[in-house]
Amino acid sequence: MEAAYRLETTWNPEGGPNGRFTFSLFNLSDEALTGFKLVYTSLTRVIDPKACENAVFLRRNANFHEFAPPAGLSIEPGASWIFTVSGLHRPAKHCTDGAKSAYVTLADGKHVAIAVSDLLLEGRVSEPPPVLLPEGRLELPFALQPWPAEIDVIPGDGFPVVLYPAEGSSKDELTTVSTALALFRRLFESGHAPFNLSVSPQGRPVRFAHDPSVAKEGYKLTFSTQEVTLAYSDAAGRQYGLTSLAQLLHGARSEPNRFRFPASGTITDKPRYVWRGCHLDVSRQFYPVADLKRLIDILAWLKLNIFHWHLTDDEAWRLEIKAYPTLTTTGVLRGPDEPLLPQLGNGAEPVGGFYSQDDVRDIVAHAAALSVEIVPEIDIPGHNSATLIALPDLTDGQEAPDSYHSVQGYPNNALNPAVPLTYEFLEKVFDEMVELFPSEYIHIGGDEVANGSWLASPLAKKLMEQEGISGTFALQSYFLKRIKDMLTARGRKLAGWNEVAHGGGIASKDSLLMAWENPQVGIDLAKQGYEVVMTPGQAYYLDMVQAEAFQEPGASWAGTVPPAHTYGYEAEGDFPEELKDKMKGVQACIWSEHFLSRGYFNRLVFPRLPAIAEAAWTPKAKKDWHRFSAIVPLSPKL
Ligand code: ACM
């Protein structure tokens, strides 16, 4: 059913310190609309409640906004109510900076959906969308992505119908081929199978050769018209060799005028970095298990080996913890009448979603079979609005409400290092996590604790006195050292965001930090002895807009990130030679604030995710943007 109301929003750079929104609420129902309140969610927040005209600001929580019309207003069928809001915390820059969702609350308390439109720039014409991906150019006709370290092959005239394990292959080898085939079938449902297990006279055998001299995760393919040999030293390398064969055959079959299958020669391949990651924020938006499995399939196809699963944030705690069931009831459900209010595209209907421990086991096993390790993240101590709403005993009851705000606008959202229950809670959470996740690292977040956090908490003040420390970040460091001890006691290493180093940080041994704020931060962390993964927002945050144009969707606080920039960025660039061994690799980050649908997800994540995969794998001297552009249209999407 079509919505009975529609909200349209325009933004004008004039009219306030950060411009002005004009909202038009159309009544498309058959009855006059009176005595109601309007709610919308928008990342462009209102900070001056008085700076609006023809409406009354009622309340805001992060990006949830509630307004009332002027007293007595009635919107007749077919008419609209127009009001303006100019007390904004920043200017709007893109079409996704307006209302992401809206609803009305009627006099009887009922909530009714409102359709919303993307933000329009007032009084300007839209520029045509830019071309972000050139047609590309191939020097060698092979559909490999990421491009291999060494390739010295002659293209064949035709290609084998299918590849099959040579006679005498072990059960283990047959199983690997079956896994590679299943991956291909999931990614390209209607594509012709590259492998089968039966000896096929019109196909070509693949002979496996275990060879300890092949690099870790590497492989060597030797082609002839009689057979292909695949040499490897570990399971990941064997899988990647098969993936390359599947890519070669898929390319040759799908676009025979551009891509071919090798008739002779060798491909000798290995990754540039050991950490080739992709992060996904499942808190802001929930992704069903099937979507996660498909994303993991895509990572495997691109030879990425880490899935960093950002399971908790202010907006929801998505991981079932048996000791604390309210985390995934109260802590996930966002709705007009729930403790967690609608945010980021939520409307009149409550929305939830979480991963049961059975779901987690299923996803971890799915990933492991594809040589993808899952690094789970519980983001602490900041970004915990949902946790604190689900478990109010974790707060210091004497702390003044609204005593500090996160950069996303959440009040008092950090776990309190001076509340003893905080540690009991986290011990139990980690106990359950280590049973679920076999990963070397547990990621504990550590990002964006607001300066000023806990300073109005009497318990925190007392603890700081006792410890002889002062200030938010000294207290954060005290807290994170205790967290590090908890992980060490469970045999796990600590991963975190770059702010873990603030206020004195933690022991650098077995601590890996992700440099997201900017590239220089990564070098500074390496100097302090931390291992580093480079995830700078300016190149690797896939929620960033890809062009300047107003109608480009996405965030822009880290700048504009065209695919060519993501591809060309050299994370290792300014690392001094003596610190390069601290730089373990690179990672894409998929923050979900703007990903209200698969359409937005695919538009922003591709082709930048494959671009990062190539940056993670392919030696610098072999990177080639035009070759990448020619091949990437073959990449699967979500
Ligand atoms: C982050 O972007 N807050 C890690």
Side-chain angles (χ1 to χ4, degrees):
M1 200 180 71
E2 283 300 315
Y5 310 107
R6 173 170 288 279
L7 183 69
E8 295 190 344
T9 318
T10 60
W11 180 78
N12 191 319
E14 313 292 326
N18 289 311
R20 185 187 63 206
F21 279 146
T22 299
F23 292 98
S24 306
L25 176 61
F26 288 84
N27 180 1
L28 305 174
S29 78
D30 296 329
E31 287 173 38
L33 180 61
T34 58
F36 64 95
K37 295 175 198 160
L38 167 73
V39 165
Y40 69 80
T41 65
S42 171
L43 285 160
T44 309
R45 303 195 298 272
V46 173
I47 50 168
D48 179 357
K50 291 185 291 299
C52 58
E53 282 178 30
N54 204 32
V56 181
F57 174 92
L58 297 176
R59 59 178 172 145
R60 178 175 70 74
N61 172 252
N63 56 87
F64 168 100
H65 296 74
E66 190 172 47
F67 285 87
L73 181 99
S74 173
I75 315 176
E76 298 305 311
S80 62
W81 162 44
I82 297 175
F83 67 100
T84 62
V85 172
S86 52
L88 305 173
H89 85 297
R90 64 165 185 220
K93 289 198 174 146
H94 294 277
C95 61
T96 42
D97 286 337
K100 288 192 172 305
S101 59
Y103 60 89
V104 283
T105 301
L106 303 177
D108 63 0
K110 221 172 121 213
H111 309 289
V112 184
I114 300 179
V116 298
S117 304
D118 267 356
L119 183 62
L120 286 181
L121 187 55
E122 205 170 301
R124 308 254 187 104
V125 286
S126 297
E127 313 95 281
V131 175
L132 295 170
L133 191 70
E135 199 172 308
R137 171 177 27 75
L138 287 170
E139 277 165 20
L140 294 170
F142 303 111
L144 290 165
Q145 198 156 65
W147 194 253
E150 302 288 340
I151 178 165
D152 181 14
V153 292
I154 306 291
D157 289 332
F159 50 83
V161 168
V162 76
L163 298 165
Y164 59 89
E167 275 185 278
S169 296
S170 67
K171 174 190 156 266
D172 197 30
E173 287 157 353
L174 294 181
T175 302
T176 319
V177 174
S178 180
T179 302
L181 174 57
L183 173 65
F184 180 88
R185 297 296 305 172
R186 293 194 298 272
L187 290 174
F188 305 97
E189 281 173 2
S190 65
H192 188 290
F195 305 115
N196 64 22
L197 299 186
S198 315
V199 171
S200 312
Q202 65 287 43
R204 202 168 294 171
V206 177
R207 189 169 302 283
F208 291 93
H210 184 258
D211 177 354
S213 74
V214 173
K216 217 166 164 284
E217 298 187 274
Y219 62 90
K220 180 172 180 185
L221 291 168
T222 306
F223 295 89
S224 77
T225 48
Q226 302 310 307
E227 69 172 19
V228 180
T229 57
L230 195 177
Y232 64 92
S233 63
D234 58 20
R238 185 171 60 183
Q239 176 196 321
Y240 294 148
L242 288 171
T243 305
S244 289
L245 289 173
Q247 291 186 348
L248 286 164
L249 205 47
H250 180 55
R253 204 186 289 283
S254 345
E255 286 190 54
N257 294 331
R258 295 188 102 176
F259 300 112
R260 313 266 284 276
F261 191 82
S264 63
T266 57
I267 293 175
T268 310
D269 203 7
K270 63 172 184 183
R272 183 173 179 192
Y273 296 117
V274 294
W275 189 290
R276 304 181 303 280
C278 175
H279 146 291
L280 180 69
D281 156 22
V282 299
S283 174
R284 273 59 178 263
Q285 312 292 346
F286 180 71
Y287 296 76
V289 170
D291 287 7
L292 296 190
K293 286 185 173 174
R294 184 167 174 90
L295 180 63
I296 290 165
D297 285 347
I298 293 169
L299 304 189
W301 184 250
L302 297 171
K303 303 189 173 98
L304 292 164
N305 66 344
I306 300 280
F307 175 55
H308 169 176
W309 195 0
H310 182 82
L311 282 156
T312 72
D313 213 302
D314 289 301
E315 288 82 356
W317 177 292
R318 303 285 188 195
L319 173 65
E320 180 186 25
I321 299 293
K322 305 265 190 203
Y324 297 102
T326 59
L327 287 171
T328 43
T329 52
T330 314
V332 296
L333 199 62
R334 303 197 295 253
D337 299 314
E338 303 300 330
L340 286 180
L341 291 170
Q343 305 283 355
L344 299 167
N346 304 141
E349 295 297 325
V351 292
F354 70 95
Y355 304 99
S356 71
Q357 297 199 349
D358 282 343
D359 291 336
V360 170
R361 278 185 281 270
D362 182 25
I363 291 167
V364 167
H366 184 91
L370 297 169
S371 307
V372 174
E373 179 159 282
I374 296 192
V375 176
E377 177 184 354
I378 295 299
D379 196 355
I380 54 172
H383 288 283
N384 274 276
S385 293
T387 320
L388 293 169
I389 284 173
L391 298 170
D393 287 352
L394 292 175
T395 52
D396 174 355
Q398 302 303 311
E399 182 181 33
D402 287 301
S403 66
Y404 62 90
H405 288 90
S406 72
V407 66
Q408 288 83 11
Y410 284 96
N412 292 19
N413 70 334
L415 295 185
N416 192 324
V419 171
L421 215 51
T422 298
Y423 301 96
E424 185 186 323
F425 165 66
L426 291 170
E427 297 269 9
K428 287 188 185 164
V429 168
F430 289 135
D431 279 343
E432 295 194 27
M433 285 178 79
V434 296
E435 289 297 316
L436 291 170
F437 297 99
S439 59
E440 186 179 2
Y441 289 90
I442 302 268
H443 198 297
I444 55 75
D447 58 320
E448 294 186 316
V449 168
N451 198 0
S453 297
W454 311 307
L455 301 184
S457 152
L459 287 176
K461 281 188 201 160
K462 195 163 145 230
L463 177 63
M464 285 192 274
E465 264 169 42
Q466 267 171 18
E467 293 293 321
I469 55 177
S470 70
T472 295
F473 296 108
L475 193 51
Q476 170 179 301
S477 163
Y478 164 90
F479 170 80
L480 290 174
K481 283 176 182 143
R482 290 186 63 172
I483 298 307
K484 166 104 183 158
D485 289 344
M486 286 186 198
L487 295 183
T488 306
R490 288 165 178 77
R492 304 304 173 96
K493 297 180 180 171
L494 181 148
W497 299 108
N498 58 240
E499 299 98 312
V500 166
H502 287 185
I506 60 171
S508 60
K509 185 173 178 303
D510 292 340
S511 297
L512 177 146
L513 302 186
M514 295 181 171
W516 69 273
E517 289 185 274
N518 59 62
Q520 182 58 39
V521 159
I523 298 170
D524 296 342
L525 292 172
K527 278 190 193 138
Q528 294 166 52
Y530 295 103
E531 296 199 319
V532 178
V533 166
M534 296 298 279
T535 67
Q538 297 76 12
Y540 287 173
Y541 270 25
L542 302 188
D543 57 326
M544 291 298 136
V545 285
Q546 300 177 89
E548 299 280 331
F550 194 86
Q551 73 269 27
E552 279 294 309
S556 52
W557 56 262
T560 300
V561 184
H565 176 67
T566 300
Y567 185 84
Y569 171 68
E570 267 296 310
E572 198 174 292
D574 295 325
F575 267 74
E577 206 46 48
E578 71 276 12
L579 293 179
K580 281 196 172 148
D581 69 318
K582 292 273 176 218
M583 209 284 252
K584 296 299 164 192
V586 299
Q587 181 170 292
C589 289
I590 306 176
W591 296 101
S592 297
E593 284 91 335
H594 290 282
F595 294 156
L596 271 54
S597 69
R598 190 172 297 252
Y600 283 116
F601 185 97
N602 280 333
R603 177 163 169 179
L604 276 90
V605 169
F606 299 94
R608 292 184 296 183
L609 179 60
I612 296 170
E614 190 147 302
W617 183 278
T618 306
K620 180 181 174 193
K622 303 287 170 69
K623 281 167 78 178
D624 173 346
W625 166 243
H626 288 281
R627 179 199 62 225
F628 172 84
S629 301
I631 299 172
V632 79
L634 287 172
S635 173
K637 294 184 177 182
L638 198 66

